[in-house]
Amino acid sequence: VQLVESGGGLVQAGGSLRLSCAASVRIFSFKAMGWYRQAPGKQRELVAAIISGGGTNYADSVKGRFTISRDNAKSMVYLQMNSLKPEDTAVYYCKLDTWAQSDYWGQGTQVTVSS
């Protein structure tokens, strides 16, 4: 399984970015897919996740600003990020969880929000 993120970059506070994660496998049958982030000196944290049934889960810090979605036909997962803040600056990672309790990570994409 390979996951490839794209869409990161530099944006001013208040701006928007859309991250994409391309999976090398069909994603509709997996347990969940999610976006995580890791800022310098901090632990990796869950940003948003979407489970196989379509339910979503968000970190409190991004609720109302970020939206996770998926396109099963294209094996893509997206993270629409609006109203970005400097504290959103981090490397964002895509993760896939299988029902067999294994998981896979992408290489990450840098998001930098300037004040």
Side-chain angles (χ1 to χ4, degrees), residues 9-84:
L10 173 64
V11 64
Q12 289 187 333
S16 298
L17 283 175
R18 187 195 194 205
L19 304 184
S20 298
C21 173
S24 62
V25 295
R26 299 182 73 181
I27 63 172
F28 72 93
S29 62
F30 289 102
K31 182 178 181 180
M33 291 195 72
W35 288 94
Y36 289 70
R37 67 187 180 188
Q38 188 166 20
K42 295 187 177 181
Q43 290 188 333
R44 193 172 295 189
E45 62 176 359
L46 173 68
V47 176
I50 185 165
I51 63 174
S52 62
T56 57
N57 183 38
Y58 295 92
D60 288 342
S61 60
V62 306
K63 284 181 180 176
R65 300 189 297 123
F66 291 10
T67 303
I68 188 171
S69 62
R70 69 185 182 196
D71 185 330
N72 290 335
K74 296 182 179 179
S75 293
M76 297 287 293
V77 176
Y78 305 100
L79 185 68
Q80 178 66 43
M81 306 187 295
N82 299 328
S83 302
L84 282 161

